[in-house]
């Protein structure tokens, strides 16, 4: 990719100019902030001159004199106080386009050192309402898994379902006293949540109910056959419904190792940590202390309560062991809402204290707000679940598609599915993950603006050209870029590789979404300015290659966001 090529050439130029670059100084080339001056820029000479207290323009000039980029750039400028600006040459761009044309992987660079990355996302809790945080986690986690795999990593996805915990005391009581078996078969998640909510409310006002729930829980934990049977049924039914939802979303997990999977490992783990001196007793509880970490100095991680019970953190430590020992994880990514930040700081610190080297990242996100800026609710006024959101998105997309002519009902259903699900995912992924975003049906389903329907429609337009050619297009490497709109589009296409890698730096799918939006805009501008089918020879071939590459980059890029495309809409 141009950026990394230019970066390494620039580094060599600093060396050739005999400028001492401090080890921690980053000689970086970035995308140009303003494309009037070039395609890429670097402020390295300027920043270094500041450190060395010399004249920045003079330093930039001496670097530029040694810069060997004739095969990439047609111009290198020194602008302002010492910016280096690089303009990619037409031949290099044509070469890149030819490489994209010939490569199924769209000439996207693969990482030099692939890592085994375990991605922990979605992880709803059985028999507790799924909240918007789970929706965000599901969509962001899936996207990151796809991008990391595309970049060349080995990715293992693991859904750490909350299938064990105090909620089961209430569920067991609810199951025995108020369960509607028919409703359970129809929509298990909904029926279990209904019971949970009712019992929860009753227990608040009535100590007797609370006590019964507690007793049910203790019996479950002690292995009571009846309660274990009910628990297993709850998990099975919910999981099978969840699998259905994931399959509609086209999201797959390599593993569904819920919290209960680790139950037998908790006691030995705590013993091991005690023996190793990592944990110690404090007021009857077993804790891991982090005296050496200022932010955590007064926030020990409790791993066994004084009553002998284990905690969420204990399970997570056992989970880390499994992922490192069984899967050889080099990295573990947790896509979980920001409120759990302290929890992850603690278990990451505990893992380091044990000498584990895997790199752990908590990938947090903000919340989703309704159009009114308050907590997001569905039409029925309930707090939202994934299922409700999907159904409503598809229904709304179906209503829009209903007016179209030339499609059978089956085709309309299929298109509504692609658009509805794509719209929900895109609304999520096109935002910076930390911002609270406003959920707006009209905006996300609009054909205009930075939306899934807009991008899918851009893809449809690229395809319609090839449909008109009816398989008659034979593309070659005879590429000559002349028109500015062609150049702008080619440059965008060339930047897919950089974008894919940038997404992983700080876990930001929105960089890819925005890239695709800009690509679609560049395509529309090109389409207005440059006739394709009415052109001839090399010009026609170049334009068809541009259309084909745009089509594939849009399809692959949307695919990395977990969004499907359709040939017509
Ligand atoms: N089930 C948890 C929740 O809903 C999320 C689990 C995240 N993953 C983990 N390994 N702790 O809050």
């Amino acid at each position: 990719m141009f950026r990394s090529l230019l970066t390494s050439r620039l580094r060599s130029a600093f060396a050739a100019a005999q400028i001492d670059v401090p080890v921690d100084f980053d000689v970086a080339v970035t995308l140009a902030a303003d494309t009037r001056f070039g395609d890429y820029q670097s402020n390295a000479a300027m920043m270094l001159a500041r450190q060395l207290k010399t004249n920045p323009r003079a330093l930039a000039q001496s670097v530029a004199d040694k810069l060997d980029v004739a095969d990439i750039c047609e111009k290198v400028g020194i602008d302002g106080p010492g910016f280096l600006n690089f303009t990619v040459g037409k031949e290099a761009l044509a070469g890149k386009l030819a490489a994209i044309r010939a490569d199924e992987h769209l000439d996207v660079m693969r990482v030099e050192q692939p890592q085994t990355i375990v991605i922990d996302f979605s992880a709803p809790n059985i028999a507790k309402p799924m909240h918007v945080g789970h929706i965000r986690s599901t969509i962001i986690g899936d996207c990151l898994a796809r991008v990391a795999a595309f970049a060349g990593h080995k990715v293992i996805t693991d859904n750490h379902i909350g299938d064990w915990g105090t909620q089961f005391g209430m569920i067991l009581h609810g199951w025995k006293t108020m369960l509607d078996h028919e409703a359970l078969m129809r929509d298990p998640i909904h029926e279990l949540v209904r019971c949970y909510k009712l019992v929860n409310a009753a227990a608040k006002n009535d100590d007797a109910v609370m006590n019964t729930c507690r007793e049910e829980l203790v019996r479950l934990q002690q292995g009571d056959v009846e309660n274990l049977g009910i628990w297993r049924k709850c998990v099975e039914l919910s999981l099978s419904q969840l699998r259905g939802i994931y399959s509609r979303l086209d999201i797959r997990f390599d593993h569904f190792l819920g919290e209960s999977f680790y139950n037998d490992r908790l006691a030995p783990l705590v013993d091991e940590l005690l023996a190793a001196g990592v944990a110690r007793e404090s007021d009857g509880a077993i804790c891991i202390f982090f005296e050496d970490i200022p932010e955590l100095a007064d926030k020990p991680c409790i791993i066994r309560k004084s009553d002998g019970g284990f905690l969420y953190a204990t399970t997570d430590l056992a989970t880390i062991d499994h992922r490192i020992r069984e899967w050889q994880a080099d990295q573990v990514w947790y896509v979980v809402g920001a409120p759990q930040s302290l929890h992850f700081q603690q278990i990451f610190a505990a893992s380091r204290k044990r000498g584990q080297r895997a790199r752990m990242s908590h990938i947090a996100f903000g919340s989703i707000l309704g159009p009114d800026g308050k907590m997001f609710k569905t039409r029925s006024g309930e707090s939202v679940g994934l299922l409700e959101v999907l159904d409503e998105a598809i229904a709304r997309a179906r209503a829009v598609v209903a007016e179209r002519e030339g499609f059978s009902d089956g085709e309309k259903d299929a298109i509504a599915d692609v658009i509805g699900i794509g719209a929900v995912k895109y609304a999520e992924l096109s935002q910076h993950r930390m911002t609270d975003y406003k959920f707006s049906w009209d905006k996300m389903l609009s054909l205009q603006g930075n939306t899934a329907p807009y991008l899918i429609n851009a893809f449809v337009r690229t395809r319609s050209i090839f449909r008109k050619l009816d398989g008659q297009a034979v593309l070659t490497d005879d590429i000559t870029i002349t028109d500015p709109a062609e150049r702008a589009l080619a440059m965008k296409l060339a930047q897919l590789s950089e974008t894919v890698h940038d997404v992983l730096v700080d876990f930001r799918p929105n960089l890819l979404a925005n890239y695709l939006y800009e690509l679609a805009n560049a395509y529309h501008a090109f389409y207005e300015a440059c006739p394709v089918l009415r052109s001839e020879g090399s010009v026609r071939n170049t334009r068809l290659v541009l259309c084909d590459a745009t089509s594939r980059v849009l399809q692959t890029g949307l695919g990395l966001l977990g969004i499907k495309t359709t040939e017509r809409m």
Side-chain angles (χ1 to χ4, degrees), residues 99-169:
I100 294 175
R101 186 184 81 72
D103 182 10
E104 235 173 84
H105 202 251
L106 299 165
D107 204 37
V108 171
M109 213 169 73
R110 288 183 173 82
V111 285
E112 272 161 31
Q113 285 165 336
Q115 303 250 295
T116 298
I117 304 174
V118 174
I119 310 187
D120 178 321
F121 67 100
S122 195
N125 302 315
I126 301 289
K128 268 210 228 168
M130 213 198 220
H131 53 77
V132 284
H134 294 115
I135 302 183
R136 298 202 76 171
S137 169
T138 305
I139 296 173
I140 297 173
D142 174 59
C143 168
L144 291 174
R146 291 170 191 262
V147 174
F150 193 71
H153 292 293
K154 178 177 175 203
V155 172
I156 300 177
T157 51
D158 184 17
N159 196 335
H160 192 74
I161 301 272
D163 61 357
W164 193 254
T166 48
Q167 79 260 37
F168 281 99

Side-chain angles (χ1 to χ4, degrees), residues 90 480-489 525-526 529-531 543 546:
K90 298 209 167 105
T480 37
I481 295 168
T482 45
D483 193 283
E486 293 172 344
R487 187 185 188 285
L489 177 57
F526 155 83
C530 306
R543 293 179 180 174
L546 283 166

Side-chain angles (χ1 to χ4, degrees), residues 51 212 386:
Q51 278 191 22
T212 317
L386 195 43

Side-chain angles (χ1 to χ4, degrees), residues 270-324:
V270 172
D271 292 341
E272 184 191 318
L273 293 174
L274 274 170
V278 172
R280 65 170 196 261
E281 203 243 89
S282 168
D283 288 337
I286 307 298
C287 306
I288 303 177
F289 287 90
F290 311 104
E291 285 94 349
D292 48 332
I293 305 175
E295 312 88 78
L296 296 179
D298 59 348
K299 297 188 180 73
C301 176
I302 308 177
I303 55 174
R304 194 173 74 201
K305 291 188 285 187
S306 51
D307 68 5
F310 301 108
L311 300 98
Y312 184 47
T314 328
T315 307
D316 256 323
L317 291 180
T319 307
I320 292 178
D321 281 357
H322 185 79
R323 290 171 177 170
I324 293 179

